[in-house]
Amino acid sequence: MSEINVKLNDGPAAQMPSPITVGEALKKLDRDSAKQALAARVNGREVDLAFTLGEQQNGEAIRIEPVLPETLEGLDVLRHSTAHLLAAAVLDLFPGTKLGIGPALLDDPRYGFFYDVIAPQPLTEADLPIVEKKMRQIASRNLAYRREEISKAEALRIFQERDEPLKRELIDEKAGETVSVYYIDNSPFIDFCLGPHVPNTNKLRAFKLLSLAGAYWKGDATQPQMQRIYGTAFFTQEQLDAWLKQREEAEKRDHRRLGKELDLFSIQEQYGQGLIFWHPKGGAIRKEMEDYLREQLAVRGYGLVFTPHIAKRELWFISGHEDNYADSMFSPMEFEGQEFRIKPMNCPFHIGIYKSGQRSYRDLPIRYAELGTVYRAELSGTLHGLTRVRGFTQDDAHIFCTPETVRGEILGCIDFAFHLFDVFGFKDIRIELSVRGDKADAHYLGSDEDWTRAEAALVGALDERGIAYNRIEGEAVFYGPKIDIRVEDAIGRTWQLTTVQFDFNLPERFELEYIGEDNKPHRPIMIHRALFGSMERFFGVLIEHYAGAFPMWLAPMQVAVLPITDRINEYAEKVATELRGANLRVKANLKSEKIGAKIRDAQMQKIPFMLVLGDREMEQGNITVRERSQGDIGVMSLEEFKTMAHGLVVTRALTNT
């Protein structure tokens, strides 16, 4: 029996007999880690605990890093394994079910995993408790997750025998000469999967099935229609219970429901899915968002531009979108023998403005900003209210700069984003640095030197501000690395909003130039940045963050004037007119209703202030003020109220106290 050297993380190496599994090696290195581990990384490669360690390379000790609970990697393994458990339960209960895919979901705050299936008969919401009960029965049997490496031909034969055409299709498309398949022992389940997975079903204790939805195989409406079963899973029941409580609160804050109740926006099937109608109240909030943005753009040296909604198709070949983004673009249209596409983004248009004249290094940096509406061919199954749409307006900007000024421009974008989130009431901010994955991936354009330089510029800016970040491999856009900024809302969910992207590619493809100090042409560096991300998505997040009860400066209706009786209506109109003259958004409720009903209506509409007017107020020329959450705050003159309200608005205060 030969021996190998193995170490835990960066600890000392220990000599062990070979062959030995990762789980057995962990027991020898650290029994506590071995008890907790869900999977492991061996020299950086994710594997199951049952993986057999190979020979040492170059005489170096084999490095094992356990994948532990309470980590994102651990949660991914847990949820992926629970998705397999779900599929096993469905196969047990509904023989003949065809399986699609079943990934973990870490970026979607609504769910933890899903599995797509085609059952012999359509499943209903009533089936979910039955499936969940079967999952618990299987989990309690402590069944092993077992991986096998087999030939592609053998995998195709197995899934042919099991009448799993969708799995065969995936194997045909993705598999090499060998294929990894996973079993849950003593169950009808087998899957084509890379893993890793938990060692056994006993690790899966805190899970919940949530809902059913329609889906298409590979997201293609021409492919078979499937049912998507959503669920979630956590390491402990306490975590699951806390999440379910948060989910209940999230349902109360759902922007789709509040948007309808508060008359903020609508999506109308007659006009098309994923297309947003901003109603006057939603429009009032959007105007405040845009006013703030334009004010800040002017202060920060941006020029506001406006560009067309369509362009010749050849533009998108030059930009690389036809080769790398065509699936997300609406089909070309032909006119007078030329093909056009509706724009999915604004960057090539801003490049057109840059190229309209000769540029000197003295002109740079040049900052173009646009509230530009773009259109993307999102599949109907992916659409979700305001947060995933087909037509949306980006608060888009592109900065053209020199290598010497690029870090300062990135810092300016980061500072701008942090200021924006503070103004709108988001305090917990997280940063992700998305970089290239496999360097051999042809999806990524540009040289290794370009990518190294671009990543160094982003990292340097973050380090200069002392900002911690998570590095995300393989999530860069095709033309360069990026910084993504996530915010945490009032109930602890995170949302990705801002992006700052380094682009060395489009300047090259469009042959952009500036004349340097040496009187020679040079390529500028291009930075793409969006702070809100899109007006629609940010608005949806704002609605849920504030549960529709916006601070005074954002509220679509800021003041409700409520006369107690009809004889006060004339005075109420006078008060409302004077407040409108002070640039406040005011509604006078002159209905012949009791004052309690009027107050309830204003509360339901989440109006920050209610001015209650009776005979005494009319005689004295005063008002009685109610605040949305505090109730009565006393009698004051109209001038006093205007001064208070004006202060809340101009300072963009987040509370009314």
Side-chain angles (χ1 to χ4, degrees), residues 247-445:
R247 183 171 184 260
E248 183 180 349
E249 179 62 28
E251 288 174 354
K252 296 176 186 175
R253 293 169 176 262
D254 191 318
H255 72 274
R256 295 167 298 177
R257 180 177 64 82
L258 288 172
K260 184 174 183 179
E261 290 177 3
L262 301 177
D263 194 24
L264 300 174
F265 72 92
S266 63
I267 302 169
Q268 302 181 38
E269 184 67 32
Q270 180 182 359
Y271 293 88
Q273 292 178 296
L275 303 174
I276 307 303
F277 288 72
W278 293 74
H279 295 198
K281 289 182 179 179
I285 298 175
R286 176 163 173 166
K287 180 180 182 299
E288 293 292 345
M289 293 165 61
E290 292 186 359
D291 287 350
Y292 158 79
L293 185 67
R294 289 191 173 98
E295 169 192 303
Q296 290 296 313
L297 290 170
V299 168
R300 297 168 190 269
Y302 287 80
L304 200 61
V305 301
F306 301 86
T307 61
H309 286 237
I310 64 171
K312 290 181 180 179
R313 189 181 183 190
E314 68 182 70
L315 181 80
W316 308 108
F317 281 107
I318 297 171
S319 70
H321 288 93
E322 282 286 349
D323 295 325
N324 296 281
Y325 203 75
D327 288 347
S328 296
M329 300 168 72
F330 281 97
S331 300
M333 60 188 87
E334 188 172 324
F335 182 70
E336 294 185 341
Q338 293 184 320
E339 284 190 308
F340 292 80
R341 273 207 197 257
I342 194 166
K343 68 177 179 181
M345 50 195 62
N346 302 297
C347 30
F349 295 82
H350 294 185
I351 286 172
I353 297 174
Y354 181 92
K355 289 193 71 173
S356 66
Q358 189 176 69
R359 310 296 177 182
S360 161
Y361 73 96
R362 297 180 187 275
D363 301 321
L364 272 56
I366 292 175
R367 307 180 188 99
Y368 296 140
E370 177 176 16
L371 287 163
T373 302
V374 298
Y375 302 88
R376 297 184 185 171
E378 302 284 359
L379 295 168
S380 58
T382 67
L383 300 174
H384 183 77
L386 291 167
T387 58
R388 192 73 178 266
V389 296
R390 287 176 173 158
F392 56 94
T393 301
Q394 289 184 305
D395 63 314
D396 213 356
H398 295 92
I399 302 169
F400 302 87
C401 57
T402 65
E404 294 76 23
T405 59
V406 65
R407 179 181 292 192
E409 293 305 309
I410 294 168
L411 285 169
C413 293
I414 294 170
D415 293 343
F416 195 169
F418 274 65
H419 178 74
L420 176 145
F421 292 134
D422 184 58
V423 166
F424 283 88
F426 296 101
K427 304 303 181 185
D428 195 337
I429 299 171
R430 303 173 193 177
I431 308 293
E432 292 177 349
L433 176 67
S434 295
V435 299
R436 185 173 52 161
D438 184 354
K439 293 180 181 180
D441 188 344
H443 172 75
Y444 298 113
L445 306 178

Side-chain angles (χ1 to χ4, degrees), residues 556-577:
M557 195 59 63
Q558 296 166 321
V559 184
V561 179
L562 310 178
I564 292 176
T565 65
D566 289 350
R567 64 178 175 272
I568 312 296
N569 283 358
E570 186 176 343
Y571 178 55
E573 283 279 34
K574 179 182 175 183
V575 168
T577 300

Side-chain angles (χ1 to χ4, degrees), residues 138-271:
I138 296 172
S140 68
R141 292 161 58 195
N142 195 22
L143 305 178
Y145 282 77
R146 179 167 51 86
R147 176 188 174 116
E148 285 189 6
E149 294 277 347
I150 58 178
S151 70
K152 181 176 181 177
E154 176 66 6
L156 289 171
R157 184 192 65 77
I158 290 172
F159 286 103
Q160 176 69 35
E161 287 181 355
R162 297 173 65 88
D163 192 20
E164 291 279 14
L166 304 181
K167 293 296 182 185
R168 283 176 54 84
E169 188 176 326
L170 286 179
I171 292 168
D172 267 331
E173 289 177 359
K174 298 179 180 296
E177 292 183 5
T178 60
V179 172
S180 62
V181 295
Y182 275 86
Y183 297 84
I184 297 179
D185 282 348
N186 298 313
S187 85
F189 178 79
I190 177 176
D191 201 0
F192 163 51
C193 180
L194 294 175
H197 287 285
V198 297
N200 54 65
T201 58
N202 195 44
K203 295 282 187 180
L204 311 176
R205 299 182 180 182
F207 52 81
K208 179 75 177 173
L209 296 187
L210 301 170
S211 63
L212 278 169
Y216 290 106
W217 176 236
K218 298 181 179 177
D220 184 345
T222 65
Q223 296 276 6
Q225 189 163 11
M226 313 186 75
Q227 287 187 286
R228 178 165 294 178
I229 307 174
Y230 282 108
T232 196
F234 289 89
F235 298 111
T236 67
Q237 188 63 39
E238 291 76 16
Q239 291 172 336
L240 175 60
D241 290 343
W243 184 87
L244 290 171
K245 185 176 180 180
Q246 182 195 67
R247 183 171 184 260
E248 183 180 349
E249 179 62 28
E251 288 174 354
K252 296 176 186 175
R253 293 169 176 262
D254 191 318
H255 72 274
R256 295 167 298 177
R257 180 177 64 82
L258 288 172
K260 184 174 183 179
E261 290 177 3
L262 301 177
D263 194 24
L264 300 174
F265 72 92
S266 63
I267 302 169
Q268 302 181 38
E269 184 67 32
Q270 180 182 359
Y271 293 88

